[in-house]
Amino acid sequence: MFFLKRGSQRVKRLLKKKVVQHTGNHFDVRYSQSWFNGVYEKISQDKKYQDFLFSYKLRNFNSASALAQSFDYNSLTTLEKLIVVKCYYSSKYGVIADQLLDKICEEVFSAEDPPNAKVIVNLLDRVRLSGYDFEGKLEIFEKGKSFLTLDDLREAEIYYSVLWMEYSLKNQKYGNVDPKPYIKDEHVSKFGVDLIYRFIPALRSYGHLHYVDRLLEEMLLKQEQTYCSLKVLTALCKERLSEIDAQKINVPIEEESIRFLPVFYAGREFSGVLSDMYSKLFGFLEKNFRSIGVHSQDIFLRFMLKNEMYHDILSVAKGGSYSNYLLPVFVAKGYVGIYQSDYYSARNCFEIALNEDPADALAATGLRFALPRTGREMKEILRLRDKVGYGIHSNGRVGFRDFGSELTISLLMSGDYIKGQYSKSKSKHWLVLKEAFGEKFLNFERLEKNARKDIFIIGDEGVGDEIRTSQFYDSLSSMYSNVTITCDPRLYNIFKNSFPEITFLPVARLWKLVETSGSKPEPRFDGYGDKISSYLTEECRPYIDKSDTLTFGQNVFFNYFLGAIKRPEPGAYLDLPQTSNMERGWSEKFKVGILWRSHLRVGARKMMYLDLEDFAPIFNLDGVELWSIQHSMDEDEIEFCRKKGINIISDVDTFNDFEGLGGYLKGLDLLVGVSSVPMELGAALGIETWMLGFSPENYYLRTAGGTDSYDRLTLNSSVIAPPWIDFSNPRDVCVQQVFEEVTRLLKIKIEGDVNEKAAE
């Protein structure tokens, strides 16, 4: 109710007094006498609907739903009714929406005159979002498609939009639906590029790589260099954007060109033309923000929000007449609040956004970071879901659901590792494999020792997680006759040398955040959805077919928490190939490797990282020699290290050469920092490791909810933080307290090291 337009406080008070009732064939909104004596009943039906539409288009779905219940629903056109229904599904009125949709379906399909195509496509979109059972949805889709024809170009495009929705519906249900049958080559010219664009990831993950490239090339030949061809070029290979001729890109710098902004942004690094167009269009929208339409303002701010321009959003929208209706402003305020340690304001901003649009993923992520910093349990977000639901993701029903990561994070941060891990068993890609392989596939299930069976393990996590999971590989070798495991190619030689009895398959995984544009990946393991295809290649198929048991890395860790697999004693469990142990002339000082971040500095991940400057308390400790083990350092960080006398590994590619990096790590006495590949690799090589618990995520996830300093995840590691740490304090205070503890412990360790050498 926060965003009601014009006279919002008066309308809010009056709306609280209305009575909503669904009676048989229509939807009644009845009001108390005080409502009729108020102001809002004097507003025309059209004005009420326009107010509703204003909020709806800005995704203020909860407020729009409240407004929708104030006007005569039955006087609306069918398309207007369907907009109201979608609004209800996007908020928390899904049960009412189902009832209204029942009536619309009856009216549309029983009318004497056949419905037009636009009504059909909108109706089927609402059916897709509804709480109807799956079979009921498919039945309505078949009925709706019978009213469409491929003879008319406009209807053909709508028909393929329906096919996309039908594919999405089935893929959501089964998770392994081949998208190609939903695209018919003879009608491909009738596809809109935006529609084709939806199919591309699914087509590629299902193994139709050459088909996609051919399809895009054909579409490119039929188009001038417009917005459409830019999207095609981007999908083909971003490097192809260099082909663009500036003279052929005729995009005016005006409000209506806002739809080009994401494409210009995506191609700016590969095309000087697009970089120039992006700068001009962004500058125009920024300069003229107050004069463009409010819905264009919302689109522009959402673009900025997606690209983490939080301060820019607040600057652009400051003082705007519609700033109270623009949810991106509240989400941006939330993230700025977290960065400024104003956690309570941040939490409130994220809650405001989620109350209006429960499907807002950025607000949900922000709330997950804000809650533990306000002294609240992570489970608070589950209580909020009981009130607002997940919008379109939960058919407009309120109540907590066990999909997504909120339950998992809540359980893991409270120390319930078994239930936290098991909550991921309902992930669609694992259910697909369970359906396909039955008992052979173990989905967060107990591993049973059987010396006569073979097991295949999918490496399904990041490289650091993969290194951490390998602490259990020796145990697996003792449980099964043959063990085959996929691994990141950069780890292949190390794993092969460390576990000679295990067969390792180097597989380049496809991570969206780090995928190299323009690369032509080897054939993937298709038929089981894009997630599984990102983990496996066709090379893996014969190994999977002949194995008795199929599972994945996270299930190995789950079995550790179950007690089915034992953790090895402290010490090295990885062994570098002999050629990587290079001799160096190390000094006699106590050598400490430091790492402050991962190579991915995006989104909320940055909240779990440090800055190099945060290590200042240990820069000048007597007897300490600091080494940067940070990968992907930028020029500023390199220069800072040089000024402060911090040693840099300059003759090894620390991002790709893990053997060379490991040779350096083995010469260090201690590692201090945050979890990333160099830290996990060093710990696996037996080097004492201190993970810094300066944030709730870094602290609670590894210490069973703050029980003690013992690291439940990384062997040879401790989590360093004072026992009294209070994460509602500003970030700088928490960091300072952690480094005071690091300094204290380092001094003790150095003194012990000196005494030990003296005794020798």
Side-chain angles (χ1 to χ4, degrees):
M1 304 293 291
F2 187 82
F3 296 96
L4 295 175
K5 186 185 177 188
R6 295 195 181 94
S8 59
Q9 296 303 315
R10 176 72 184 277
V11 175
K12 185 192 297 184
R13 290 195 300 271
L14 294 174
L15 279 175
K16 286 182 178 179
K17 299 179 182 180
K18 69 183 181 300
V19 180
V20 181
Q21 181 178 352
H22 184 270
T23 57
N25 295 328
H26 63 281
F27 183 62
D28 289 337
V29 182
R30 300 181 179 179
Y31 305 92
S32 64
Q33 187 62 41
S34 61
W35 170 261
F36 284 108
N37 291 336
V39 174
Y40 205 66
E41 82 284 354
K42 298 178 182 179
I43 300 175
S44 69
Q45 169 75 0
D46 181 66
K47 178 62 173 63
K48 291 177 183 179
Y49 182 76
Q50 292 306 315
D51 282 353
F52 154 80
L53 206 57
F54 173 88
S55 290
Y56 169 76
K57 288 182 177 179
L58 295 179
R59 304 191 197 183
N60 293 187
F61 297 124
N62 192 40
S63 291
S65 295
L67 285 168
Q69 295 171 42
S70 71
F71 51 67
D72 182 5
Y73 172 84
N74 292 309
S75 68
L76 302 177
T77 67
T78 301
L79 285 174
E80 289 172 339
K81 290 177 181 179
L82 287 169
I83 292 175
V84 172
V85 167
K86 188 166 187 176
C87 182
Y88 286 160
Y89 284 133
S90 301
S91 54
K92 56 184 178 182
Y93 300 99
V95 174
I96 295 174
D98 281 354
Q99 294 173 315
L100 298 178
L101 192 57
D102 287 343
K103 181 63 176 175
I104 296 173
C105 287
E106 180 183 344
E107 292 173 350
V108 168
F109 293 134
S110 63
E112 292 185 8
D113 297 326
N116 66 52
K118 192 172 183 180
V119 168
I120 289 295
V121 72
N122 280 275
L123 174 63
L124 296 182
D125 175 68
R126 282 29 164 201
V127 169
R128 178 178 61 89
L129 299 175
S130 73
Y132 294 174
D133 65 77
F134 178 70
E135 296 301 328
K137 290 181 179 182
L138 290 184
E139 184 179 344
I140 297 174
F141 262 77
E142 288 302 316
K143 197 166 188 177
K145 286 193 297 183
S146 68
F147 290 96
L148 300 174
T149 176
L150 291 173
D151 298 332
D152 181 272
L153 182 60
R154 288 172 297 179
E155 286 200 21
E157 188 169 345
I158 288 176
Y159 180 79
Y160 285 114
S161 296
V162 170
L163 286 184
W164 165 254
M165 289 190 288
E166 184 179 1
Y167 163 75
S168 301
L169 184 63
K170 291 180 179 178
N171 198 53
Q172 184 180 18
K173 173 71 173 178
Y174 300 117
N176 61 339
V177 178
D178 186 350
K180 194 168 184 295
Y182 294 84
I183 298 179
K184 303 185 185 304
D185 289 350
E186 63 269 24
H187 299 295
V188 98
S189 62
K190 299 176 182 178
F191 271 65
V193 171
D194 288 337
L195 183 59
I196 280 289
Y197 217 65
R198 299 175 189 174
F199 275 105
I200 287 172
L203 285 165
R204 282 181 169 159
S205 69
Y206 220 87
H208 304 302
L209 303 177
H210 298 299
Y211 173 75
V212 168
D213 288 346
R214 179 178 63 79
L215 181 65
L216 291 171
E217 290 285 1
E218 289 177 1
M219 295 180 71
L220 188 62
L221 290 173
K222 295 176 181 177
Q223 297 166 352
E224 295 296 325
Q225 289 192 339
T226 62
Y227 165 73
C228 295
S229 62
L230 291 178
K231 294 195 78 170
V232 172
L233 278 169
T234 303
L236 269 169
C237 171
K238 285 185 178 178
E239 281 80 357
R240 291 281 299 276
L241 294 175
S242 61
E243 300 174 9
I244 293 172
D245 183 347
Q247 301 300 319
K248 294 183 179 180
I249 299 296
N250 185 23
V251 178
I253 304 303
E254 59 186 17
E255 179 181 346
E256 287 70 23
S257 298
I258 195 169
R259 67 192 182 110
F260 292 86
L261 196 61
V263 181
F264 291 161
Y265 180 82
R268 72 196 190 286
E269 295 180 6
F270 301 90
S271 166
V273 173
L274 295 189
S275 178
D276 183 57
M277 294 296 292
Y278 168 73
S279 297
K280 289 179 179 178
L281 183 56
F282 185 93
F284 170 84
L285 294 169
E286 186 177 36
K287 181 180 179 180
N288 297 280
F289 184 80
R290 298 291 179 84
S291 60
I292 64 176
V294 63
H295 296 109
S296 293
Q297 290 180 350
D298 185 58
I299 293 170
F300 184 49
L301 295 182
R302 288 184 185 278
F303 166 80
M304 297 171 72
L305 189 64
K306 182 179 179 181
N307 293 290
E308 303 178 32
M309 304 176 189
Y310 306 129
H311 288 91
D312 293 330
I313 289 173
L314 300 187
S315 175
V316 167
K318 184 177 181 180
S321 58
Y322 293 112
S323 59
N324 282 345
Y325 310 110
L326 298 170
L327 294 185
V329 173
F330 286 87
V331 179
K333 282 182 179 178
Y335 280 102
V336 170
I338 287 181
Y339 296 142
Q340 295 177 345
S341 298
D342 186 2
Y343 304 129
Y344 291 91
S345 295
R347 186 189 71 193
N348 291 343
C349 286
F350 294 133
E351 288 183 348
I352 285 170
L354 283 174
N355 271 292
E356 284 297 328
D357 180 8
D360 190 324
L362 285 175
T365 298
L367 186 59
R368 278 171 36 191
F369 281 89
L371 280 172
R373 289 168 171 80
T374 58
R376 307 288 285 275
E377 293 182 353
M378 276 295 298
K379 291 181 180 179
E380 286 287 322
I381 199 169
L382 308 184
R383 298 187 185 101
L384 177 66
R385 293 300 187 186
D386 279 336
K387 297 178 181 177
V388 304
Y390 301 84
I392 59 173
H393 299 315
S394 59
N395 315 115
R397 269 63 169 175
V398 298
F400 163 70
R401 306 292 180 90
D402 55 3
F403 57 72
S405 59
E406 290 173 351
L407 176 61
T408 300
I409 294 297
S410 298
L411 291 168
L412 293 179
M413 288 186 67
S414 65
D416 194 338
Y417 294 111
I418 294 177
K419 289 183 179 178
Q421 290 270 354
Y422 185 74
S423 68
K424 293 185 279 187
S425 64
K426 295 186 179 180
S427 298
K428 182 65 66 178
H429 53 291
W430 299 139
L431 294 178
V432 166
L433 290 185
K434 191 66 178 177
E435 178 71 21
F437 291 96
E439 293 183 359
K440 174 177 176 175
F441 177 70
L442 299 183
N443 179 14
F444 290 99
E445 297 172 73
R446 190 181 297 274
L447 294 169
E448 300 290 350
K449 182 175 182 179
N450 192 323
R452 295 191 301 272
K453 288 190 174 183
D454 298 347
I455 187 171
F456 186 98
I457 297 171
I458 303 168
D460 62 307
E461 298 179 283
V463 182
D465 305 288
E466 193 175 342
I467 293 170
R468 193 163 54 232
T469 303
S470 68
Q471 65 185 283
F472 305 110
Y473 286 176
D474 271 334
S475 293
L476 288 171
S477 291
S478 67
M479 295 172 66
Y480 295 91
S481 60
N482 290 293
V483 180
T484 303
I485 305 174
T486 65
C487 69
D488 187 286
R490 293 169 291 180
L491 289 170
Y492 176 72
N493 287 333
I494 297 176
F495 279 176
K496 183 180 178 181
N497 187 69
S498 304
F499 310 105
E501 296 180 354
I502 295 177
T503 299
F504 290 97
L505 300 178
V507 174
R509 269 160 269 168
L510 301 180
W511 305 109
K512 291 182 179 179
L513 289 175
V514 296
E515 184 178 348
T516 303
S517 63
S519 61
K520 296 296 183 183
E522 56 188 306
R524 308 304 295 185
F525 187 75
D526 57 34
Y528 301 93
D530 57 348
K531 194 80 169 180
I532 298 302
S533 73
S534 72
Y535 296 151
L536 300 169
T537 60
E538 269 300 307
E539 180 189 2
C540 303
R541 192 178 294 273
Y543 294 91
I544 292 174
D545 289 343
K546 73 177 184 179
S547 68
D548 301 297
T549 302
L550 172 64
T551 192
F552 50 97
Q554 291 183 74
N555 191 40
V556 175
F557 234 104
F558 175 66
N559 272 263
Y560 154 57
F561 291 122
L562 283 180
I565 297 179
K566 290 186 177 181
R567 195 177 203 182
E569 294 297 319
Y573 59 87
L574 291 186
D575 187 20
L576 297 176
Q578 191 64 35
T579 55
S580 68
N581 292 318
M582 295 175 283
E583 293 295 330
R584 295 185 177 86
W586 297 102
S587 72
E588 292 298 315
K589 290 186 176 182
F590 191 80
K591 293 171 285 298
V592 179
I594 61 173
L595 184 141
W596 49 95
R597 59 171 175 80
S598 170
H599 70 288
L600 284 176
R601 290 178 284 183
V602 295
R605 295 171 64 99
K606 292 183 290 189
M607 298 176 197
M608 298 183 286
Y609 299 152
L610 292 162
D611 296 319
L612 178 53
E613 292 85 347
D614 291 327
F615 286 78
I618 64 172
F619 282 167
N620 299 308
L621 281 181
D622 289 338
V624 172
E625 180 178 289
L626 294 181
W627 282 79
S628 167
I629 60 171
Q630 181 66 56
H631 45 6
S632 304
M633 292 176 67
D634 60 38
E635 291 300 322
D636 290 339
E637 291 170 329
I638 292 172
E639 182 62 25
F640 187 90
C641 285
R642 287 171 177 161
K643 287 182 178 179
K644 297 298 180 181
I646 301 170
N647 294 282
I648 298 173
I649 301 172
S650 58
D651 60 341
V652 168
D653 180 355
T654 54
F655 185 76
N656 291 304
D657 184 1
F658 292 167
E659 297 167 55
L661 172 63
Y664 270 100
L665 295 174
K666 289 189 71 171
L668 302 177
D669 300 298
L670 175 70
L671 306 180
V672 178
V674 300
S675 176
S676 194
V677 170
M679 292 283 286
E680 297 292 348
L681 179 59
L685 293 171
I687 303 158
E688 184 178 0
T689 301
W690 292 356
M691 300 288 184
L692 302 181
F694 60 92
S695 74
E697 298 77 26
N698 295 81
Y699 185 66
Y700 291 129
L701 283 172
R702 292 175 170 268
T703 61
T707 304
D708 50 45
S709 64
Y710 178 65
D711 192 333
R712 270 69 172 179
L713 303 182
T714 301
L715 191 66
N716 305 313
S717 168
S718 301
V719 181
I720 306 301
W724 58 83
I725 193 165
D726 178 0
F727 295 111
S728 66
N729 283 324
R731 173 196 177 278
D732 291 347
V733 172
C734 294
V735 171
Q736 176 189 344
Q737 290 180 343
V738 165
F739 273 99
E740 286 174 354
E741 189 71 359
V742 169
T743 303
R744 183 183 72 83
L745 294 173
L746 258 180
K747 288 179 178 178
I748 294 173
K749 186 167 284 294
I750 294 168
E751 183 178 348
D753 186 61
V754 170
N755 292 336
E756 183 179 335
K757 289 180 179 178
E760 292 176 355

